[in-house]
Amino acid sequence: MGTLPLQKSKIDLGGNDKFREYGRQRQIKHFETEEFLEYRRQWFECPEKMIVPEYPLNLDIHVTNRCNLRCPFCPRTWKDLGGHYDEYGLMSMELYKRIIDEGVPHGIKAIQLTADGEPLLHPKLEEMIAYAREAGVIDIIVHTSAASLTEKRSRKLLDAGFHRLAISFDSPDKETYEKLRVGAKFEKTLENIKTFVRLRDEGGYELPTVRVQMVDQKINMHQRDDFDKLFMDIADTVGHIYYIDYFGGPQTYLDTSKLGVNDFKVGKSKLKQDFKCSYLWQRLIIQWDGEVFPCFYGDTLLDKGKGKDLLLGNANDISIHDIWHGQAMKQLRQLHSAGKFTCNKTCKDCGRQYDTYEDELPKDDWNGIGGVG
């Protein structure tokens, strides 16, 4: 890959999500095509101008809700330890193919193979990637902790052919990393990442690009520079996002003594001016069992057994197109467009409506949440 210096850049995702990132200027032809650039233009423009595209530009497909880690800052861990899961499972290939087969003719551009858990736990992940690529999806993104990214799995993923790999790592220090990524081993996971990049480069694969990301929290924020140095010669981009206290934080779900880490928040928060959730004009989230939500947080059950107030339908029973243009989505867009998002309890409490900043930095830097989108 060489030793090109990492360049600092601040990325603004649709005017709502921001993160700081260092990137190596590696020319990728795929990301310079007219179709890809037009998709990215729409990604920013649709939420900014409140344009509803014919079909979601992106589908986040949560292929499983199983996870091999118990990261204390992760809402999935809070729900798991708090007993909020009624069932664990894997998305069927039948449902997955139905989603892709519907989306491609309607013009879907991207899918994110992620999870309310760890997507590498799905034994058919490579088949899912290949199916979407062959169907014509132009931006396939896989999210992982890389704890189970073995050399054998890396080879299979590279052969399947996808576009971006997003890895969450969270600390350059073994003790801190293993306190935050409970169940993972620092040296093993780091070697997994290095091996994947080596196999990609030695095999002549232009893609996927590799982004390694750290969630900045009180326990690790002083390690940011060391984190950048650790990955600057490994990853294509090195990113940071602030921890956000979604739905009031872990104490909403369970006794925090079960987590081993009690305080994640950093900096100060302020309400974003003219906040409207960009997701409503960009994407939908589909859970492993087919349930569809407008965001990652809509399926949160604060009281086990009670209703899911943002459940839009189930992809086993209704088309994604109909859900996207359905009454529930229209009402949510109207609320957010009018600045009345607080009328929906989940939207009011989710946390995305706040900017986080540090006193010693400009208030428009290192704020909000980021990620791959």
Side-chain angles (χ1 to χ4, degrees):
M1 181 182 294
T3 56
L4 290 174
L6 293 174
Q7 304 295 320
K8 177 182 175 181
S9 62
K10 187 178 71 176
I11 313 291
D12 187 343
L13 298 182
N16 289 322
D17 299 342
K18 299 177 183 177
F19 62 94
R20 195 171 86 169
E21 179 174 85
Y22 291 91
R24 187 172 287 104
Q25 302 302 312
R26 201 162 67 95
Q27 295 297 112
I28 306 293
K29 293 180 180 179
H30 178 78
F31 298 145
E32 297 175 351
T33 63
E34 183 177 343
E35 184 180 14
F36 190 90
L37 293 174
E38 172 60 18
Y39 144 59
R40 296 309 294 171
R41 185 193 67 78
Q42 291 181 52
W43 181 263
F44 295 105
E45 184 179 70
C46 287
E48 180 182 351
K49 297 183 179 179
M50 294 178 285
I51 298 170
V52 182
E54 176 62 23
Y55 202 80
L57 299 172
N58 171 96
L59 292 176
D60 288 82
I61 303 177
H62 290 208
V63 295
T64 183
N65 62 345
R66 296 173 179 169
C67 192
N68 51 345
L69 303 185
R70 283 195 168 179
C71 308
F73 57 92
C74 177
R76 189 217 171 268
T77 299
W78 309 341
K79 290 190 288 183
D80 199 8
L81 293 178
H84 296 290
Y85 284 111
D86 294 317
E87 187 178 1
Y88 300 88
L90 302 167
M91 179 174 284
S92 70
M93 282 302 298
E94 179 185 3
L95 174 58
Y96 176 81
K97 289 181 178 180
R98 186 185 309 148
I99 292 167
I100 299 300
D101 290 347
E102 178 196 344
V104 171
H106 280 292
I108 187 175
K109 302 302 180 186
I111 61 169
Q112 303 204 43
L113 295 174
T114 178
D116 200 14
E118 169 55 59
L120 287 179
L121 295 182
H122 200 300
K124 295 189 176 182
L125 181 63
E126 293 84 356
E127 184 179 344
M128 290 175 162
I129 291 170
Y131 191 85
R133 175 180 54 79
E134 292 167 5
V137 179
I138 65 171
D139 198 13
I140 303 170
I141 307 163
V142 176
H143 296 257
T144 181
S145 69
S148 53
L149 186 63
T150 63
E151 180 171 343
K152 180 179 180 181
R153 202 73 193 271
S154 293
R155 292 183 186 277
K156 289 183 176 181
L157 286 167
L158 287 166
D159 287 340
F162 62 111
H163 305 99
R164 294 193 269 171
L165 180 65
I167 300 171
S168 297
F169 198 81
D170 296 318
S171 177
D173 171 70
K174 173 180 171 63
E175 181 180 356
T176 307
Y177 171 83
E178 293 182 359
K179 185 174 288 187
L180 289 173
R181 290 279 159 183
V182 177
K185 297 298 181 183
F186 179 86
E187 296 88 353
K188 181 178 183 295
T189 307
L190 181 58
E191 187 58 33
N192 289 347
I193 298 170
K194 291 179 178 179
T195 298
F196 183 89
V197 174
R198 176 179 59 79
L199 292 173
R200 182 197 66 181
D201 295 347
E202 290 178 353
Y205 299 92
E206 185 180 49
L207 296 169
T209 58
V210 175
R211 179 178 192 269
V212 181
Q213 173 177 292
M214 172 171 147
V215 178
D216 294 340
Q217 306 162 59
K218 281 192 175 181
I219 191 174
N220 67 0
M221 60 184 297
H222 64 285
Q223 302 171 342
R224 291 183 296 201
D225 289 343
D226 288 339
F227 184 85
D228 295 345
K229 291 175 184 176
L230 174 62
F231 286 106
M232 67 185 301
D233 291 324
I234 301 172
D236 296 300
T237 55
V238 181
H240 295 263
I241 62 172
Y242 271 138
Y243 165 80
I244 290 183
D245 226 355
Y246 289 111
F247 298 104
Q251 61 272 10
T252 308
Y253 298 81
L254 76 164
D255 178 356
T256 55
S257 64
K258 295 181 179 181
L259 298 175
V261 178
N262 293 319
D263 193 2
F264 311 105
K265 294 184 71 174
V266 13
K268 299 180 180 180
S269 298
K270 66 174 181 178
L271 191 65
K272 296 178 183 178
Q273 293 184 355
D274 302 321
F275 172 75
K276 61 179 184 295
C277 183
S278 59
Y279 294 171
L280 301 175
W281 290 271
Q282 293 170 328
R283 70 210 305 175
L284 286 175
I285 281 69
I286 307 175
Q287 296 290 353
W288 69 272
D289 57 0
E291 290 187 340
V292 181
F293 297 88
C295 63
F296 303 107
Y297 323 109
D299 66 334
T300 299
L301 280 174
L302 300 184
D303 296 299
K304 186 177 179 182
K306 293 188 178 180
K308 302 181 179 183
D309 69 346
L310 286 183
L311 177 60
L312 301 173
N314 192 299
N316 286 293
D317 306 317
I318 185 172
S319 73
I320 300 300
H321 183 273
D322 287 348
I323 290 175
W324 182 244
H325 294 282
Q327 189 60 32
M329 281 296 289
K330 289 180 180 178
Q331 289 175 348
L332 280 171
R333 292 187 188 111
Q334 288 170 357
L335 286 176
H336 281 252
S337 299
K340 297 180 179 180
F341 66 90
T342 56
C343 292
N344 179 281
K345 178 174 173 51
T346 299
C347 295
K348 175 180 180 292
D349 296 337
C350 93
R352 290 189 73 241
Q353 68 272 36
Y354 290 97
D355 274 337
T356 299
Y357 62 91
E358 298 173 44
D359 290 338
E360 69 271 20
L361 292 177
K363 294 183 180 180
D364 64 345
D365 200 10
W366 287 86
N367 60 342
I369 78 163
V372 178

Short mmCIF file of all heavy atoms in Angstrom, two decimals, residues 308-337:
data_model
loop_
_atom_site.label_atom_id
_atom_site.label_comp_id
_atom_site.label_asym_id
_atom_site.label_seq_id
_atom_site.Cartn_x
_atom_site.Cartn_y
_atom_site.Cartn_z
N LYS A 308 -43.17 -1.62 19.43
CA LYS A 308 -42.03 -0.96 18.79
C LYS A 308 -42.59 0.23 18.02
O LYS A 308 -43.18 0.06 16.96
CB LYS A 308 -41.30 -1.93 17.89
CG LYS A 308 -40.80 -3.18 18.62
CD LYS A 308 -40.06 -4.11 17.69
CE LYS A 308 -39.55 -5.33 18.43
NZ LYS A 308 -38.77 -6.22 17.57
N ASP A 309 -42.38 1.42 18.53
CA ASP A 309 -43.12 2.57 18.01
C ASP A 309 -42.67 3.06 16.64
O ASP A 309 -43.34 3.90 16.05
CB ASP A 309 -43.13 3.72 19.02
CG ASP A 309 -41.77 4.37 19.20
OD1 ASP A 309 -40.77 3.78 18.75
OD2 ASP A 309 -41.71 5.45 19.78
N LEU A 310 -41.58 2.54 16.12
CA LEU A 310 -41.17 2.93 14.77
C LEU A 310 -41.16 1.74 13.82
O LEU A 310 -40.57 1.83 12.74
CB LEU A 310 -39.77 3.58 14.81
CG LEU A 310 -39.72 5.01 15.36
CD1 LEU A 310 -38.29 5.55 15.27
CD2 LEU A 310 -40.66 5.94 14.64
N LEU A 311 -41.77 0.66 14.19
CA LEU A 311 -41.86 -0.48 13.29
C LEU A 311 -42.74 -0.12 12.09
O LEU A 311 -43.90 0.25 12.24
CB LEU A 311 -42.44 -1.69 14.02
CG LEU A 311 -42.67 -2.95 13.19
CD1 LEU A 311 -41.37 -3.45 12.58
CD2 LEU A 311 -43.31 -4.04 14.05
N LEU A 312 -42.17 -0.21 10.88
CA LEU A 312 -42.87 0.21 9.67
C LEU A 312 -43.56 -0.94 8.95
O LEU A 312 -44.42 -0.71 8.09
CB LEU A 312 -41.88 0.87 8.71
CG LEU A 312 -41.14 2.11 9.23
CD1 LEU A 312 -40.07 2.52 8.22
CD2 LEU A 312 -42.12 3.25 9.48
N GLY A 313 -43.18 -2.15 9.26
CA GLY A 313 -43.73 -3.30 8.57
C GLY A 313 -42.70 -4.41 8.52
O GLY A 313 -41.64 -4.31 9.13
N ASN A 314 -43.01 -5.46 7.78
CA ASN A 314 -42.09 -6.59 7.67
C ASN A 314 -41.88 -6.90 6.20
O ASN A 314 -42.84 -7.03 5.43
CB ASN A 314 -42.64 -7.81 8.41
CG ASN A 314 -41.60 -8.90 8.57
OD1 ASN A 314 -41.08 -9.44 7.61
ND2 ASN A 314 -41.26 -9.20 9.83
N ALA A 315 -40.63 -7.02 5.79
CA ALA A 315 -40.28 -7.25 4.39
C ALA A 315 -40.76 -8.61 3.89
O ALA A 315 -40.78 -8.85 2.68
CB ALA A 315 -38.77 -7.13 4.19
N ASN A 316 -41.15 -9.49 4.79
CA ASN A 316 -41.74 -10.76 4.37
C ASN A 316 -43.17 -10.58 3.88
O ASN A 316 -43.69 -11.43 3.15
CB ASN A 316 -41.74 -11.75 5.53
CG ASN A 316 -40.36 -12.31 5.83
OD1 ASN A 316 -39.80 -13.03 5.02
ND2 ASN A 316 -39.81 -11.96 6.99
N ASP A 317 -43.80 -9.46 4.27
CA ASP A 317 -45.22 -9.27 3.99
C ASP A 317 -45.52 -8.09 3.06
O ASP A 317 -46.58 -8.05 2.44
CB ASP A 317 -45.98 -9.04 5.30
CG ASP A 317 -45.72 -10.13 6.31
OD1 ASP A 317 -45.71 -11.32 5.91
OD2 ASP A 317 -45.52 -9.81 7.50
N ILE A 318 -44.61 -7.12 3.00
CA ILE A 318 -44.88 -5.90 2.24
C ILE A 318 -43.59 -5.45 1.56
O ILE A 318 -42.49 -5.68 2.08
CB ILE A 318 -45.43 -4.79 3.17
CG1 ILE A 318 -45.83 -3.55 2.36
CG2 ILE A 318 -44.45 -4.45 4.27
CD1 ILE A 318 -46.56 -2.51 3.21
N SER A 319 -43.69 -4.83 0.41
CA SER A 319 -42.50 -4.42 -0.34
C SER A 319 -41.81 -3.24 0.34
O SER A 319 -42.45 -2.42 1.00
CB SER A 319 -42.87 -4.05 -1.78
OG SER A 319 -43.54 -2.80 -1.82
N ILE A 320 -40.51 -3.16 0.15
CA ILE A 320 -39.73 -2.03 0.68
C ILE A 320 -40.21 -0.74 0.03
O ILE A 320 -40.29 0.31 0.68
CB ILE A 320 -38.23 -2.24 0.44
CG1 ILE A 320 -37.74 -3.53 1.13
CG2 ILE A 320 -37.43 -1.04 0.91
CD1 ILE A 320 -37.93 -3.53 2.63
N HIS A 321 -40.56 -0.81 -1.22
CA HIS A 321 -41.06 0.38 -1.94
C HIS A 321 -42.31 0.92 -1.27
O HIS A 321 -42.46 2.13 -1.06
CB HIS A 321 -41.34 0.02 -3.40
CG HIS A 321 -41.78 1.20 -4.22
ND1 HIS A 321 -43.10 1.58 -4.31
CD2 HIS A 321 -41.08 2.07 -4.99
CE1 HIS A 321 -43.20 2.63 -5.10
NE2 HIS A 321 -41.99 2.96 -5.53
N ASP A 322 -43.24 0.02 -0.93
CA ASP A 322 -44.48 0.46 -0.29
C ASP A 322 -44.22 1.01 1.11
O ASP A 322 -44.87 1.97 1.54
CB ASP A 322 -45.47 -0.71 -0.22
CG ASP A 322 -46.07 -1.04 -1.58
OD1 ASP A 322 -45.89 -0.24 -2.52
OD2 ASP A 322 -46.71 -2.10 -1.70
N ILE A 323 -43.26 0.43 1.82
CA ILE A 323 -42.92 0.94 3.15
C ILE A 323 -42.30 2.32 3.03
O ILE A 323 -42.64 3.24 3.79
CB ILE A 323 -41.95 -0.03 3.86
CG1 ILE A 323 -42.67 -1.33 4.23
CG2 ILE A 323 -41.33 0.62 5.10
CD1 ILE A 323 -41.78 -2.40 4.82
N TRP A 324 -41.40 2.49 2.07
CA TRP A 324 -40.71 3.76 1.86
C TRP A 324 -41.67 4.91 1.56
O TRP A 324 -41.46 6.04 1.99
CB TRP A 324 -39.70 3.59 0.74
CG TRP A 324 -38.85 4.77 0.39
CD1 TRP A 324 -38.84 5.46 -0.78
CD2 TRP A 324 -37.83 5.39 1.21
NE1 TRP A 324 -37.90 6.46 -0.75
CE2 TRP A 324 -37.27 6.44 0.46
CE3 TRP A 324 -37.37 5.15 2.49
CZ2 TRP A 324 -36.26 7.25 0.96
CZ3 TRP A 324 -36.36 5.95 3.00
CH2 TRP A 324 -35.81 6.99 2.24
N HIS A 325 -42.73 4.60 0.84
CA HIS A 325 -43.71 5.61 0.47
C HIS A 325 -44.99 5.52 1.31
O HIS A 325 -45.99 6.17 0.99
CB HIS A 325 -44.07 5.48 -1.02
CG HIS A 325 -42.92 5.81 -1.93
ND1 HIS A 325 -42.54 7.10 -2.22
CD2 HIS A 325 -42.06 5.00 -2.60
CE1 HIS A 325 -41.50 7.08 -3.04
NE2 HIS A 325 -41.19 5.83 -3.28
N GLY A 326 -44.93 4.72 2.38
CA GLY A 326 -46.11 4.50 3.20
C GLY A 326 -46.44 5.68 4.11
O GLY A 326 -45.66 6.62 4.28
N GLN A 327 -47.60 5.59 4.72
CA GLN A 327 -48.09 6.68 5.56
C GLN A 327 -47.20 6.94 6.76
O GLN A 327 -46.99 8.09 7.17
CB GLN A 327 -49.52 6.36 6.02
CG GLN A 327 -50.23 7.52 6.71
CD GLN A 327 -50.36 8.75 5.81
OE1 GLN A 327 -50.50 8.63 4.60
NE2 GLN A 327 -50.31 9.93 6.41
N ALA A 328 -46.66 5.88 7.36
CA ALA A 328 -45.83 6.05 8.55
C ALA A 328 -44.58 6.86 8.23
O ALA A 328 -44.19 7.76 8.99
CB ALA A 328 -45.44 4.70 9.13
N MET A 329 -43.94 6.56 7.09
CA MET A 329 -42.74 7.32 6.70
C MET A 329 -43.11 8.76 6.33
O MET A 329 -42.38 9.71 6.66
CB MET A 329 -42.05 6.64 5.52
CG MET A 329 -41.20 5.44 5.92
SD MET A 329 -39.79 5.87 6.98
CE MET A 329 -38.71 6.72 5.82
N LYS A 330 -44.24 8.94 5.70
CA LYS A 330 -44.68 10.29 5.35
C LYS A 330 -44.89 11.14 6.60
O LYS A 330 -44.50 12.30 6.67
CB LYS A 330 -45.98 10.23 4.53
CG LYS A 330 -45.80 9.71 3.11
CD LYS A 330 -47.13 9.67 2.37
CE LYS A 330 -46.96 9.15 0.95
NZ LYS A 330 -48.27 9.06 0.24
N GLN A 331 -45.50 10.53 7.60
CA GLN A 331 -45.75 11.27 8.85
C GLN A 331 -44.45 11.63 9.56
O GLN A 331 -44.30 12.74 10.09
CB GLN A 331 -46.65 10.43 9.77
CG GLN A 331 -48.08 10.31 9.28
CD GLN A 331 -48.92 9.39 10.13
OE1 GLN A 331 -48.40 8.65 10.98
NE2 GLN A 331 -50.24 9.41 9.93
N LEU A 332 -43.48 10.70 9.56
CA LEU A 332 -42.20 10.99 10.18
C LEU A 332 -41.48 12.12 9.46
O LEU A 332 -40.92 13.03 10.09
CB LEU A 332 -41.32 9.74 10.18
CG LEU A 332 -41.60 8.71 11.26
CD1 LEU A 332 -40.80 7.44 11.01
CD2 LEU A 332 -41.26 9.26 12.65
N ARG A 333 -41.51 12.09 8.14
CA ARG A 333 -40.86 13.16 7.37
C ARG A 333 -41.53 14.50 7.63
O ARG A 333 -40.86 15.54 7.74
CB ARG A 333 -40.89 12.82 5.88
CG ARG A 333 -40.03 11.63 5.49
CD ARG A 333 -39.95 11.45 3.97
NE ARG A 333 -39.29 10.20 3.63
CZ ARG A 333 -39.88 9.14 3.08
NH1 ARG A 333 -41.20 9.19 2.80
NH2 ARG A 333 -39.20 8.05 2.80
N GLN A 334 -42.84 14.48 7.74
CA GLN A 334 -43.56 15.73 8.01
C GLN A 334 -43.18 16.30 9.37
O GLN A 334 -42.96 17.51 9.53
CB GLN A 334 -45.08 15.48 7.93
CG GLN A 334 -45.59 15.26 6.52
CD GLN A 334 -47.04 14.77 6.49
OE1 GLN A 334 -47.66 14.54 7.52
NE2 GLN A 334 -47.58 14.60 5.29
N LEU A 335 -43.08 15.42 10.39
CA LEU A 335 -42.69 15.87 11.72
C LEU A 335 -41.30 16.49 11.71
O LEU A 335 -41.08 17.58 12.25
CB LEU A 335 -42.71 14.70 12.71
CG LEU A 335 -44.06 14.19 13.19
CD1 LEU A 335 -43.88 12.97 14.09
CD2 LEU A 335 -44.83 15.27 13.93
N HIS A 336 -40.36 15.81 11.07
CA HIS A 336 -38.99 16.30 11.04
C HIS A 336 -38.86 17.55 10.18
O HIS A 336 -38.13 18.48 10.54
CB HIS A 336 -38.04 15.20 10.54
CG HIS A 336 -37.69 14.20 11.60
ND1 HIS A 336 -36.46 14.11 12.18
CD2 HIS A 336 -38.45 13.23 12.18
CE1 HIS A 336 -36.45 13.15 13.08
NE2 HIS A 336 -37.65 12.59 13.10
N SER A 337 -39.57 17.60 9.08
CA SER A 337 -39.53 18.78 8.22
C SER A 337 -40.04 20.02 8.94
O SER A 337 -39.56 21.13 8.71
CB SER A 337 -40.36 18.55 6.95
OG SER A 337 -39.87 17.46 6.21
#
